[in-house]
Amino acid sequence: MKLRETFGKKIKILCLDGGAIEGRVIDYIPTIEEDEEESIIIRNGNNVLIEIAKHEITEIEML
């Protein structure tokens, strides 16, 4: 799944460190230059904004 396809959806992200984060994707940050990477910003249940880079994600589940 591409990160931009998750925009506006509620998802669960499994991370490289074994953690999981649930929330709604509120923004997608595309790659602009070669040394930058895609990332998404989600708002979790406590209204905390979290930015997650593509390389930190092992799996995305739609909720």
Side-chain angles (χ1 to χ4, degrees), residues 5-23:
E5 294 173 0
T6 64
F7 182 76
K9 298 184 169 126
K10 189 169 182 179
I11 61 172
K12 179 178 182 178
I13 295 175
L14 303 176
C15 301
L16 286 175
D17 65 2
I21 301 169
E22 290 184 16

Side-chain angles (χ1 to χ4, degrees), residues 11 21-25 40-44 48-50 52:
I11 61 172
I21 301 169
E22 290 184 16
R24 185 167 307 278
V25 179
I40 56 176
I41 298 176
I42 67 169
R43 181 182 305 274
N44 71 8
V48 175
L49 299 178
I50 304 166
I52 304 171

Side-chain angles (χ1 to χ4, degrees), residues 13-19 52-60:
I13 295 175
L14 303 176
C15 301
L16 286 175
D17 65 2
I52 304 171
K54 184 176 183 177
H55 79 272
E56 298 171 345
I57 300 171
T58 59
E59 188 176 337
I60 297 176

